[in-house]
Amino acid sequence: MHNKKLSIIMSVYKNDNLNDLKESLNSLYSQTYQNFDTYIQCDGLLTNSLYNYLDNEFKKNKIILYKRDENKGLAYSLNELLEIVMSNNYEFIARMDADDICDKKRLEKQYQFMKKNKSVDVCGSDIMEFYDDGSEKYVKYPIVHGDIKKGFSKRTAIPHVTAFFRKSFFEKSNNYNIYSNKNEDQWLWLNGFLNNCQFASISEPLVKVRLSKELLIRRKDLKHLWDTYKLRNQIINKLNFSPILYIYNIIIFFVKMMPSKILKLIYKYRK
């Protein structure tokens, strides 16, 4: 039986970069708060280099590793891990991606915040986006529930990779939507708001988020854009946002179809 308060959940698949994964896990290993377990689900067969690295980390007792031959997607993998960690009764659950980097005090700051704010079900943070050319951009998010909900009318409530959950969040809102096309986090936030989960965020960039050319290309996928468009309309409707946002949603749909070079500039210089 574990004696840890916190579990980290991460999914890895064959197209993840080995060096990025090492950076991501090393940023967890170097955290100032160490009372956590890291759970990783292999979402389908991995390359030999990825698998060998993860297997060695498992043998060193640095991670808890689960394997599956079939690729079923991020939402499915996270739900598998949630079922495990919820049954193991961790008080908190944090997200981490296989290519992003935590500030060394990320977990300590979010853990202390959640201990002091017992009504909060999920805590996020600002992020520092970094690009293939080495440039960076500080992206800020609202910090209190009302402002976070208002901001959700146009963009994500909190960056998924920064999410630090109290287990009550999933008890209230249920798990990830496995039928979404790469929008599992947005469905989760919508369900959270609809089920009276309390959101908060820390006004510091506690995670560095890799915004690569490949990610921008994936975000231009037509099925993903159409899924996002329909989802944003549901968010506007179910959370009673202003109807004028339907027009804004149409504009954003076409903006995201622009060439990747233009999209990169938009991401860099947006407020």
Side-chain angles (χ1 to χ4, degrees), residues 108-122:
E108 177 186 353
K109 290 182 176 182
Q110 289 186 299
Y111 177 78
Q112 293 298 334
F113 180 92
M114 295 294 274
K115 295 299 284 187
K116 292 177 182 176
N117 297 273
K118 297 188 182 299
S119 65
V120 172
D121 297 294
V122 59

Side-chain angles (χ1 to χ4, degrees), residues 2-8 33-37 85 88-94 111 115 164-167:
H2 73 88
N3 61 355
K4 308 288 179 68
K5 296 285 188 181
L6 168 65
S7 59
I8 313 293
Y33 178 85
Q34 284 289 317
N35 192 27
F36 66 89
D37 292 318
V85 300
N88 285 338
N89 206 33
Y90 288 91
E91 184 177 0
F92 301 107
I93 302 156
Y111 177 78
K115 295 299 284 187
F164 192 106
F165 301 95
R166 199 182 304 275
K167 66 178 181 178

Side-chain angles (χ1 to χ4, degrees), residues 56-104:
N56 284 332
E57 298 303 282
F58 170 71
K59 289 174 181 176
K60 295 175 185 176
N61 294 317
K62 290 187 173 183
I63 63 172
I64 300 167
L65 187 63
Y66 293 88
K67 305 165 190 173
R68 178 177 10 89
D69 289 347
E70 184 179 357
N71 177 265
K72 295 191 174 184
L74 177 60
Y76 192 98
S77 297
L78 295 180
N79 283 345
E80 287 182 319
L81 295 177
L82 278 174
E83 184 176 347
I84 295 165
V85 300
M86 292 289 283
S87 66
N88 285 338
N89 206 33
Y90 288 91
E91 184 177 0
F92 301 107
I93 302 156
R95 273 284 292 119
M96 188 59 187
D97 280 339
D99 58 352
D100 297 329
I101 302 169
C102 288
D103 179 271
K104 66 180 181 179

